[in-house]
Amino acid sequence: IISVSQYYLIEEDDNCINNEEPCGKIARFDIGNFYYEVKVKLKKIIDFINQETNFKYKSKCKSNYVSLVEKPIAQRAGVGWYGKNGIIITERFGSWVVLGEIITELELDTDESLQQDCGDCTICIDSCPTRAIVSPYVIDRTKCLQFISERPMKVPLAFREKWEDRLYGCTICQEVCPKNIKVKVKPKKYRPKYGFIGSKIPLIPLLQINEEEFQSYFAYNQIAMRPKEAIKRNAVLALGNIGDPRAVVPLIKVLQEDDSSMVRGHTAWALGKIGGEKAKYALEKVIKSEEDREVMEEIDNALRMI
């Protein structure tokens, strides 16, 4: 296996034309589809191998492939070492990299793993807002905001304010890492060719987006592979934390009409967080017709917040 990494920090750019509108933050690794970029480059290497060996050896390229344990491969190949947050850290680029692999029959000399580690540093563990890093190298994914942002699940009440203005992903454990802070390579000045969505996205339009529009908006981006309901839930949590009163009416529409009980429940929380008479009236009205028990509990809790 040939293991590679690609630096993905670029100068931040967002899709919020009007900077006053409420926008949700995108994790830096997902501003564009850097994994796809890696696969395109690896395909060129495979083409080179095929040409030089007259197609004698079979090869396949992968990146972000769920059935391949990329991190242990990168660690054993000497690409980087494990940080205590479970992420591979490279010497030159810190952990601001995506990984890729070529699985090949070609016989190559093997590299040694790097004899490096994080020493006594525990900054990533101490800084995780939800204490998802339960011990060095051990992550409780059910507490990880990155993991939660990808999946249609109920976000614990204790995590909702810590969600802040995120729409997708979390990189706090990387942002505080001394190895990342000391990276001397400047962010690249370019837009990713595939799946570029920017570092911030307007939230309110996402509340009424249908599946076709969702796939079109996030085409070639990893978010398109996630359930639309999870992203809508993320949007309502971010709107609740931002607290912009302009979100109240669109959120009320979601509370009244959305098919997902999970989305409705988190929307009730967001309305309670923003508060105001309009939100209170809508919550009081909807609770009379809501049939889902968990949503009713969310509405009841939201009313107590106002």
Side-chain angles (χ1 to χ4, degrees):
I1 300 175
I2 302 170
S3 178
V4 305
S5 66
Q6 174 173 303
Y7 182 56
Y8 64 72
L9 285 193
I10 63 173
E11 289 189 347
E12 295 203 20
D13 191 2
D14 61 58
N15 284 340
C16 289
I17 300 173
N18 177 4
N19 289 328
E20 294 182 357
E21 64 183 323
C23 292
K25 188 164 54 180
I26 300 293
R28 301 182 78 168
F29 72 90
D30 203 50
I31 291 173
N33 195 337
F34 301 100
Y35 295 102
Y36 195 84
E37 279 193 1
V38 169
K39 287 185 70 174
V40 170
K41 292 178 181 180
L42 293 180
K43 181 63 168 60
K44 292 180 180 179
I45 296 176
I46 290 176
D47 290 341
F48 173 77
I49 293 173
N50 290 338
Q51 291 170 10
E52 292 296 308
T53 64
N54 195 27
F55 293 85
K56 183 179 179 181
Y57 302 97
K58 294 180 181 179
S59 302
K60 291 183 179 181
C61 62
K62 303 291 181 182
S63 183
N64 197 28
Y65 187 63
V66 294
S67 298
L68 196 65
V69 284
E70 294 186 306
K71 294 177 186 178
I73 291 169
Q75 189 271 332
R76 289 177 62 182
V79 170
W81 69 94
Y82 268 103
K84 292 180 181 177
N85 56 3
I87 300 175
I88 294 297
I89 300 174
T90 67
E91 288 186 295
R92 187 179 181 193
F93 304 117
S95 64
W96 302 119
V97 295
V98 293
L99 302 174
E101 302 80 28
I102 294 176
I103 304 171
T104 179
E105 295 177 343
L106 183 68
E107 294 183 10
L108 297 167
D109 293 334
T110 58
D111 293 301
E112 298 295 326
S113 60
L114 296 177
Q115 301 304 308
Q116 295 192 43
D117 56 44
C118 299
D120 296 330
C121 181
T122 60
I123 292 175
C124 63
I125 298 174
D126 301 334
S127 300
C128 178
T130 58
R131 298 293 182 261
I133 310 173
V134 295
S135 63
Y137 317 108
V138 180
I139 316 299
D140 181 347
R141 294 199 298 175
T142 64
K143 295 181 179 179
C144 175
L145 295 183
Q146 169 62 52
F147 180 83
I148 294 172
S149 75
E150 301 172 0
R151 287 161 174 81
M153 56 186 285
K154 183 176 180 179
V155 178
L157 285 171
F159 295 174
R160 294 185 187 180
E161 289 189 356
K162 295 175 181 179
W163 193 274
E164 298 180 346
D165 62 344
R166 295 175 176 84
L167 176 63
Y168 186 80
C170 179
T171 55
I172 287 179
C173 64
Q174 293 181 267
E175 292 164 16
V176 300
C177 175
K179 295 292 184 181
N180 284 340
I181 294 172
K182 293 177 182 179
V183 168
K184 296 180 181 179
V185 181
K186 294 182 179 180
K188 300 177 182 179
K189 295 182 179 179
Y190 86 107
R191 279 193 174 195
K193 186 176 180 180
Y194 307 99
F196 176 78
I197 55 174
S199 58
K200 289 184 178 180
I201 289 178
L203 293 169
I204 292 177
L206 295 177
L207 299 182
Q208 299 296 329
I209 196 169
N210 61 37
E211 186 63 34
E212 183 179 354
E213 293 166 339
F214 179 78
Q215 292 299 326
S216 175
Y217 189 94
F218 294 107
Y220 277 99
N221 190 280
Q222 298 94 292
I223 292 178
M225 298 185 291
R226 308 305 178 194
K228 174 170 60 68
E229 290 72 21
I231 305 305
K232 289 179 72 173
R233 177 211 56 201
N234 298 350
V236 301
L237 287 176
L239 286 168
N241 284 318
I242 292 169
D244 192 324
R246 289 175 295 179
V248 169
V249 172
L251 286 170
I252 290 173
K253 186 174 177 64
V254 173
L255 182 65
Q256 294 172 336
E257 301 177 0
D258 202 275
D259 292 335
S260 168
S261 60
M262 179 196 66
V263 172
R264 295 199 308 276
H266 289 79
T267 301
W269 178 87
L271 285 167
K273 188 76 165 58
I274 297 172
E277 286 302 316
K278 188 176 291 186
K280 182 180 179 182
Y281 176 78
L283 289 164
E284 290 174 336
K285 183 178 180 181
V286 171
I287 198 171
K288 296 176 182 178
S289 58
E290 178 60 57
E291 297 179 353
D292 186 280
R293 182 180 57 81
E294 289 192 3
V295 178
M296 291 174 67
E297 291 176 358
E298 291 273 13
I299 295 174
D300 190 50
N301 289 332
L303 286 168
R304 294 176 188 175
M305 295 166 63
I306 299 177

